[in-house]
Structure formats: structure tokens, C-alpha cells
Amino acid sequence: ESGQLHYYSLGTSETAVGANMHLSEAVLWTKWSYCGTLVAFTDSVLLELNQEHFVTVLSKHQIAYMRSAQHAKMFLYNLNRLDTMSDLLPRFDQDLQHCSFDDKSHFAFLSHFKEEAGSEATLIAETLTYIIRENPSHPRCDLPVPVFIDSETLFDLNEIKAAVRKSDNLILLLTPRVLTRPWCLVEIAVAISSGITIVPVEVQRPGTVFKYPEESFYSDLLEGKVLNNQAMAILSKESISLTEVEFSLRQVFRLIASPYSPHKSGNIRHAEVEDILLRCSRGC
């Protein structure tokens, strides 16, 4: 808090220690042996944090506990990648300092037409989940289900809408008939109205072409020429008008779609999923 302090560590030069710097933070998160010596050149005031008392207090406050657990994983993830150990470490919390632990249950919701992209949705979900869980610094790595993909046995549209609202992102798989599927349109409308980040992904495989909407599509949509009666009935039941659908789709297609190529090599598919991940909100 005040004073003149210098830290000396084997293999490093002398470092001045000032306000807002942390010494030996690692003892809070792992077993730690001190690596150097702290020398006071003037009367100095330090704030000491007892590890046992710290854990006891944290355990009584759920939000603080969750945030600290996430920080601990990110701290150790970065600590294990340092070439030189020191009690005076760089700050590892930049990714979390603006994040909040809210009621989100999923990092991403995969919206797709199962008949056209069921396999692709499963592959993307598996790869995204693997990447997120392998990176402890990712704010959503601890979610039980980072990527939500609705199953064939899930018939309650209210559950689907709730899952969309509890997701940071909606990843929309673009295939030829996806924009005629009422459930997909409901998911898109809910995401737009809830401020959920939408990432369009064009499924690119031989013989399959997604046609991007032109003005004639929107005109036909508003005139009731795109959706069948069953689809119209579902939208009506959910109090979603064709005007709202049109508005939502226009918002989606202001964005450039990312590609996903299921017929290409595993390395290429993995790289494409990493690109999709970069376009997603991190839940911060």
C-alpha cells in the first residue's frame, strides 16, 4: 500500500514493488514454494491475505466463489506456461475482469434444420465443447453443457426458447431450407429480441447451396408465400409476426457467414470451428 520495496528472484533482475501489485498470489490457488526475497528500503505497509481465511469467506458467497474458481483455473493455466517461476507474476485476469457470472447455461445454442444439418450440428457442438473445456481461461469452460443442441425427443418449444435466452450465442447453420422451418425462425426471433449474439455459419458441401435472401424473398415472406400453414400456425401461437421474422432475418444477414465444410479434412474443420468461436461473444 505504501513504502519502498524491491523483489529479488533467482535468474531475474531486481524489481520495484508498488501499489496494485500482487506477491505470491499462487499460494491462494496451488501448493507453492517461495522463489525470491522481498526487501523493504523504507517503512512499508502491505495487505496480507490469509489463504485459509480467504477460502472460508469465499465458500459463503456463491457468486464470489464461482468467479474465484474461474480465476484460479485461468491463473494456473497461465502459470504452467511460464518459462521462469517468480513470486511476482503478471496479471492473468484480463479476460475475466469485465465478466459477470449470470444465469447463462450455455455458451452457444446451435440452431439448425436436423434433416439437412443434423450431423454437422453434432460435429460442431462436439468440437466447440472440446475447445472451450480445454481452455481454462475461457469464461464458460465450467458450464455443464457449453453448447446446446436440441434432441429429437425435445418437443417443447418453451424449453427451446428458454435455452436460447440462457445462451451467450446462437449459431445458425445455413442450409437450403432452414429459413422455412418455424422452430428455427422462432429461435432466431427470440435471439434477436433477447440481444443474443448470432453467428451465421454456411454449411458448404458438394451439391448443397444455401441461397441468401434477396428482396423478393422478404416480399414473399410477408405475403405468406414462404411458410406453409403449419409453420404459420406455430409462429402465431408464439405471438411472432411475419414482420418480426423479416426484421430478425435482416439483422442476421447483415453479418458475413462463416464457412463449415463437413467433407474436408479434420484439421480444416477444426480451424473453421475455431473461427466460429472467435466470432462468438465470450459471455462478458
Side-chain angles (χ1 to χ4, degrees):
E1 292 188 349
S2 64
Q4 185 178 359
L5 298 153
H6 285 235
Y7 174 76
Y8 301 87
S9 177
L10 293 176
T12 65
S13 58
E14 174 185 349
T15 305
V17 178
N20 299 318
M21 297 179 72
H22 300 165
L23 274 166
S24 302
E25 180 190 351
V27 299
L28 298 176
W29 317 120
T30 188
K31 293 182 179 179
W32 185 255
S33 296
Y34 296 111
C35 304
T37 303
L38 183 67
V39 177
F41 287 87
T42 63
D43 289 342
S44 304
V45 178
L46 301 176
L47 177 63
E48 180 183 9
L49 187 61
N50 180 278
Q51 190 265 354
E52 292 184 0
H53 293 168
F54 175 67
V55 172
T56 299
V57 172
L58 271 184
S59 65
K60 299 176 181 178
H61 301 278
Q62 183 179 12
I63 299 299
Y65 185 87
M66 291 171 61
R67 189 175 181 87
S68 296
Q70 185 67 59
H71 172 81
K73 284 194 172 187
M74 179 162 46
F75 183 93
L76 295 176
Y77 176 81
N78 286 283
L79 179 67
N80 289 329
R81 281 155 179 77
L82 293 178
D83 294 327
T84 304
M85 291 294 105
S86 170
D87 299 301
L88 189 60
L89 297 169
R91 295 289 295 273
F92 294 138
D93 58 355
Q94 289 85 351
D95 286 342
L96 280 181
Q97 61 188 354
H98 299 301
C99 294
S100 60
F101 284 87
D102 45 33
D103 63 348
K104 297 295 186 182
S105 300
H106 315 291
F107 173 72
F109 180 103
L110 268 172
S111 180
H112 66 291
F113 178 24
K114 296 183 185 66
E115 185 178 314
E116 294 181 336
S119 298
E120 288 78 7
T122 300
L123 285 171
I124 292 172
E126 290 175 349
T127 306
L128 273 177
T129 298
Y130 173 81
I131 294 173
I132 292 169
R133 285 182 171 164
E134 284 296 302
N135 181 5
S137 67
H138 194 286
R140 300 300 192 192
C141 72
D142 280 338
L143 291 177
V145 185
V147 182
F148 182 94
I149 176 170
D150 56 319
S151 67
E152 294 288 350
T153 58
L154 188 54
F155 297 107
D156 189 342
L157 195 47
N158 288 323
E159 291 184 30
I160 293 292
K161 293 190 296 182
V164 172
R165 294 190 180 101
K166 286 182 173 290
S167 301
D168 295 311
N169 305 275
L170 183 138
I171 298 173
L172 175 61
L173 301 192
L174 303 177
T175 53
R177 292 185 290 160
V178 67
L179 301 185
T180 67
R181 310 310 298 171
W183 282 37
C184 293
L185 296 177
V186 170
E187 292 160 4
I188 294 167
V190 169
I192 291 293
S193 65
S194 302
I196 307 297
T197 299
I198 296 185
V199 180
V201 175
E202 183 180 351
V203 177
Q204 298 180 346
R205 60 173 178 257
T208 299
V209 178
F210 174 76
K211 185 177 180 181
Y212 286 86
E214 299 177 347
E215 285 304 315
S216 58
F217 170 86
Y218 294 113
S219 298
D220 289 344
L221 175 67
L222 293 174
E223 293 174 10
K225 298 178 181 179
V226 173
L227 304 178
N228 60 29
N229 291 337
Q230 183 182 13
M232 295 285 286
I234 292 174
L235 292 178
S236 177
K237 182 180 179 181
E238 299 301 322
S239 301
I240 297 176
S241 67
L242 292 178
T243 301
E244 183 177 354
V245 172
E246 180 213 14
F247 172 80
S248 299
L249 292 178
R250 286 188 183 275
Q251 301 310 303
V252 171
F253 291 107
R254 292 172 61 185
L255 307 168
I256 297 175
S258 294
Y260 183 71
S261 312
H263 63 290
K264 293 187 178 179
S265 69
N267 288 339
I268 291 177
R269 295 198 308 270
H270 191 91
E272 289 176 334
V273 173
E274 287 184 328
D275 179 66
I276 294 169
L277 181 62
L278 288 174
R279 297 189 58 189
C280 290
S281 163
R282 287 172 62 85
C284 299

